[in-house]
Amino acid sequence: MNKTSFFDSLTEQKPDPLLELIAKFAADPRSGKIDLGVGVYRDETGRTPVMRAVKAAERHLWETQESKSYIGPEGDPAFLRALALETFGEHHGGRLLAGIQTPGGTGALRLAAELLALDKRRKIWIGTPTWVNHQAIFAAVGLQVGTYRFFDIGKQAVLDDEMLATLQNATPGDAVLLQTSCHNPTGAGLSPQNWLDIADIIAARGLLPLFDNAYQGLGHGRIEDAAGMMTVIETVGEAMVAVSCSKSFSLYRERTGAVYLFGDQHAQLNKGIGNLASHARASYSMPPAHGAAIVAAILQEPSRRHAWVDELSEMRNRIAEIRRAVAEAFAQFRPELANIASQEGMFSLLPISPENVGQLQAEHGIYMPDSGRINVAGMRVEDVASVAQRIGPYLA
Ligand SMILES: Cc1ncc(COP(=O)(O)O)c(C=O)c1O
């Protein structure tokens, strides 16, 4: 056998641009630098703190947990029940549901994608722009991906006609990826009428919705943020939901999430979960337990849950306050950017060229990815006006 290196024969992979941005920001010695690229919630002091309810739950677990023995590929049933109740309410759209715990929202999306890819005829429809990892996840399992334009950056408006027309022409059986709330990267929300229209088309065409639910509670409220998703679940035959606890419980590195399947018969759901569990078993065997145990300990105990609800509201209110300030300051340069106030969640997308993103970084120490996505929670309210003055001249 010749001695050529297998590793050397591999295609070189580009580092993740967002991770590169974080490293570049850290190495920048300027004191006035600002990181708007980061994908995590930041408080007024620029920290991403452990939530008070999480600390209380960890204390409780430390005192009471008796074993760290294996729990199985489906994860912790108490976590799955508590998270389902919190996410979908007691009525859960009048459908039956079943869930499986996953390593974060990414793990949930990947597992759901594996399930869809069992039928290679299926395509999944994704509105663009979207979270950068979506395309990669679906490509990794060999699913065909169809795209449609979701958002007009210049107008800061959802292209609902294009979205509905695309779904209208999708092939029965195709899947549709929908972000439940706080759209990444645009912040754009859908109107109740949009959701009704989507639900009707999905039901009429026999499509399968896959919700990416990563920010529930950070937009307009825990129940409000799920309203559109629940409209669809009530109307359609089957649905899948990938839930991430990373942002809403600030558990990022604990890798906590779940996939839920909705339908009308236990036997069908059990088959679905069985397939998801067998994929889990063959890839990571079982999900990490600690984050899910924290979430269960919070949601099952009223005082901890109360503390969590309060802190989530504080986070949401801070985001909304910065949004109002950002909208006012940026609208002086582009009137359409006033829409940032009514957008939701941490992200908005600025009309700015990649070249100008680079210039901003070099000249002003303001960091964002080439796409122009900003994390509004990366700013303090009192800094918004000066940040806008520096960014404004670079907008397209
Ligand atoms: C839209 C969206 N979906 C899913 C995720 C996955 O989050 P995680 O895997 O960290 O739970 C993210 C994280 O940034 C996201 O923005």
Side-chain angles (χ1 to χ4, degrees), residues 104-107 109 131 134 179 184 212 214-215 244 246-247 255-256:
T106 307
L109 287 166
W131 180 43
H134 281 147
Q179 294 192 35
N184 182 1
D212 181 358
Y215 296 93
S244 166
S246 300
K247 321 283 154 125
R255 311 310 303 137
T256 311

